Amino acid sequence: MKAILPGALLALNLFVIPAAFAQHQQHQQAAPAANTDTAIGQPGKAEAASRTIAITLSDMAIDPARIAVQPGETVRFQITNKGQLLHSFVIASPDGHGERQAMMGMMLDHGMVTDTAIVPAMMNMKHDGHAMAHDHTGLVLVEPGKSAELVWRFPQGGVIEAACDMPGHYEAGMVSRLTIGHDGH
């Protein structure tokens, strides 16, 4: 039985890793280009930020729970994880969080992240000469006790969300409503 287990694990890896890579490739192809103005906005330049908003991630909460920005505004988010778990800070439409949650679940399942940490060796692994670096627009991962920054230029209007898309965190209430425009309060 012990001799069968390593062979079974090797065979499983021959199927799982290529499938994960194919899923990653499809996600990268479907991701919006960084230089296009999408419904959720796009990465901004730090020197263009009109203000900085402090974000605190704790286990199953985001503070503030509501954020108002102006159409076309560029904001620097200073994100601090004061919880005990790994959290993500993701800017997306309400529907877009489902895709990110699936991606985060896959990353957790494949050892790229754990419940409390990022696994750098797995995040940048190579398979058959293809890099699997995970660099996604509008998403940062923040380990417990650490901070990160995200600079974002918002579109001309609408309501989007900033949320943690780690499995179960969004459903537990780690969502901040992001309103673009004067009616944001």
Side-chain angles (χ1 to χ4, degrees):
M1 177 71 176
K2 289 182 182 178
I4 294 172
L5 186 58
L9 290 174
L10 177 60
L12 182 62
N13 280 333
L14 292 175
F15 293 103
V16 170
I17 291 174
F21 180 71
Q23 187 176 21
H24 171 73
Q25 289 295 90
Q26 289 172 352
H27 173 77
Q28 287 294 82
Q29 291 170 0
N35 63 356
T36 61
D37 195 14
T38 68
I40 63 167
Q42 64 186 26
K45 296 182 190 283
E47 60 272 9
S50 60
R51 63 186 165 132
T52 299
I53 298 176
I55 302 291
T56 301
L57 306 175
S58 58
D59 293 334
M60 304 316 142
I62 295 179
D63 184 38
R66 296 177 62 91
I67 301 167
V69 298
Q70 296 304 310
E73 182 179 17
T74 299
V75 174
R76 174 184 290 134
F77 292 99
Q78 269 311 117
I79 307 146
T80 303
N81 184 348
K82 292 190 177 178
Q84 300 298 311
L85 301 171
L86 175 67
H87 292 297
S88 64
F89 182 80
V90 181
I91 296 174
S93 67
D95 294 338
H97 285 288
E99 177 186 325
R100 298 298 174 108
Q101 290 167 9
M103 178 192 69
M104 296 306 297
M106 185 223 31
M107 291 171 72
L108 188 62
D109 290 345
H110 291 99
M112 296 171 192
V113 297
T114 68
D115 288 333
T116 58
I118 300 167
V119 182
M122 294 299 288
M123 290 291 283
N124 296 309
M125 73 180 186
K126 292 188 178 200
H127 180 72
D128 293 333
H130 300 286
M132 283 189 65
H134 289 268
D135 180 22
H136 298 283
T137 302
L139 178 150
V140 294
L141 293 171
V142 189
E143 293 175 306
K146 300 212 174 160
S147 296
E149 182 175 282
L150 177 66
V151 180
W152 199 255
R153 187 172 72 82
F154 289 91
Q156 293 303 308
V159 176
I160 56 179
E161 296 174 332
C164 178
D165 285 339
M166 293 297 292
H169 295 202
Y170 181 95
E171 295 80 5
M174 285 196 77
V175 181
S176 181
R177 181 180 169 101
L178 252 160
T179 304
I180 304 163
H182 299 287
D183 61 343
H185 301 285

